[in-house]
Amino acid sequence: MEHNIQRLLDEIKSFSTVKPDELEQFRIKYLGKNGILNNLFEEFKAQPPQQKQMLGKLLNSLKQTASEKYNDLKNNIDIAGKQETKPLDLTLNATNGAYGARHPMSIIRKEIIEIFSRIGFTVADGPEIEDDWHNFTALNFQPDHPAREMQDTFFIEQNPDIVLRTHTSSVQVRLMQTQKPPLRVIMPGRVYRNEAISSRAHCFFNQVEGLYIDKNVSFADLKQTLLYFSKEMFGSDTKIRLRPSYFPFTEPSAEMDISCSLCGGKGCSMCKKTGWVEILGCGMVDPNVLENCNIDSKVYTGYAFGMGIERITNLKFTVKDLRLFSENDIRFLKQFKNNI
Ligand code: PHE
């Protein structure tokens, strides 16, 4: 009997694929009521007791092998059957998933970087958590400057003061400390100010600042660079105007307006009927700042400028409410998917 079971095991294992009617024959022959297995179990009962343990094991494994093989053969037939009735149509359209898109401010930040890259500016980054020296002192802020008050700036620690940077000018300081001029760099990044949130202000926003330090850099270079940027960004008809202003770290300082990109300078609600919109602050780097960063102010001069990316994005896409930029509302974000 042992020999017989071994032979049947080999026989069953040798099946690979069968047709549906052969599968039924397989079932009747091995697993059917009068099939080989049931007959063997009958035969088993009459075996001598000392052989029963060994034969029982063998018989059970034969039964298991036969049922598993039956299931395998059946599965193969099912799969083949499905393929026959539903052939793959390779010409059907693929099911499209939802594609993401760039955030409107990422689109504009990328554009700003591209415009300045074309005239040799590189890109630098720095920490958002900054010490007092890099954010204020090195930039010539007096000890009683209002930006150093709790109501204007987020303090993380006091004495020594650690703050959330209020501008990316802190990155300028880090660059001037670690690199030798000439320096020609822009610094995009997130900055924080302690402001009540409204459609026109938020407690964080994004800036791009620029810095150029070399021998003989003049205000004329600054003006020409900003004119080039404005024309590239808002169109070749764009005009600029500079108004005197004050920043602790630049001297002289100015605010720059561009002719309104919406009405072309005629006057509309965007420019409050003036024909001009303010987009950035700028100036010649104060010699004190250069000296604080160990750059010889008798040899080198430089200019700096800083703009809010939200502001530029507003002008390009006429987004009226600043809060939309950080609310992650998919209905808002979807509108920019063609602007990549
Ligand atoms: N740091 C200034 C701000 O945050 C912008 C600025 C940068 C102005 C460089 C002048 C020069 O408003």
Side-chain angles (χ1 to χ4, degrees), residues 59-278:
L59 209 48
N60 277 328
S61 88
L62 180 66
K63 190 181 171 188
Q64 201 180 340
T65 308
S67 338
E68 280 173 8
K69 183 56 84 177
Y70 175 77
N71 286 333
D72 284 353
L73 294 171
K74 189 170 181 302
N75 276 342
N76 285 344
I77 287 174
D78 287 348
I79 293 168
K82 273 186 194 134
Q83 280 171 351
E84 252 168 49
T85 51
K86 264 193 175 178
L88 270 183
D89 184 352
L90 297 174
T91 64
L92 279 179
N93 287 335
T95 42
N96 284 335
Y99 288 117
R102 269 183 214 277
H103 190 281
M105 287 208 305
S106 304
I107 298 170
I108 297 301
R109 183 181 49 210
K110 185 165 160 268
E111 212 171 317
I112 297 173
I113 291 174
E114 279 167 5
I115 292 173
F116 282 104
S117 305
R118 292 204 282 275
I119 51 169
F121 281 79
T122 55
V123 178
D125 202 1
E128 292 185 13
I129 296 175
E130 195 50 284
D131 56 43
D132 171 276
W133 196 80
H134 288 94
N135 196 79
F136 294 128
T137 305
L139 289 160
N140 223 15
F141 280 75
Q142 298 307 304
D144 56 353
H145 192 283
R148 295 186 128 150
E149 301 282 331
M150 300 278 264
Q151 64 267 25
D152 282 330
T153 297
F154 292 112
F155 282 75
I156 288 191
E157 274 171 36
Q158 284 194 287
N159 297 321
D161 291 346
I162 307 287
V163 300
L164 291 181
R165 69 178 177 195
T166 60
H167 48 188
T168 46
S169 307
S170 52
V171 187
Q172 303 191 16
V173 175
R174 289 181 177 275
L175 283 173
M176 288 189 277
Q177 277 184 302
T178 52
Q179 294 180 24
K180 295 250 163 299
L183 282 173
R184 194 161 25 172
V185 193
I186 55 167
M187 292 134 270
R190 183 131 69 151
V191 302
Y192 301 83
R193 292 182 193 176
N194 193 355
E195 304 219 23
I197 299 169
S198 71
S199 63
R200 295 171 59 84
H202 212 305
C203 57
F204 60 81
F205 64 101
N206 292 269
Q207 281 191 327
V208 177
E209 293 208 2
L211 175 71
Y212 180 25
I213 300 194
D214 204 348
K215 290 174 182 155
N216 301 319
V217 176
S218 74
F219 203 94
D221 298 317
L222 170 62
K223 190 175 170 192
Q224 199 58 31
T225 304
L226 295 178
L227 179 62
Y228 155 79
F229 166 74
S230 305
K231 284 175 180 285
E232 291 291 298
M233 194 72 198
F234 296 103
S236 55
D237 294 341
T238 310
K239 296 182 185 60
I240 63 167
R241 77 175 181 190
L242 291 157
R243 286 177 289 107
S245 184
Y246 172 78
F247 298 102
F249 37 90
T250 45
E251 180 62 37
S253 306
E255 309 271 1
M256 188 185 89
D257 302 337
I258 56 163
S259 50
C260 179
S261 54
L262 206 64
C263 64
K266 288 189 197 75
C268 66
S269 65
M270 169 110 95
C271 59
K272 298 195 197 91
K273 306 257 185 275
T274 63
W276 296 96
V277 278
E278 181 189 319

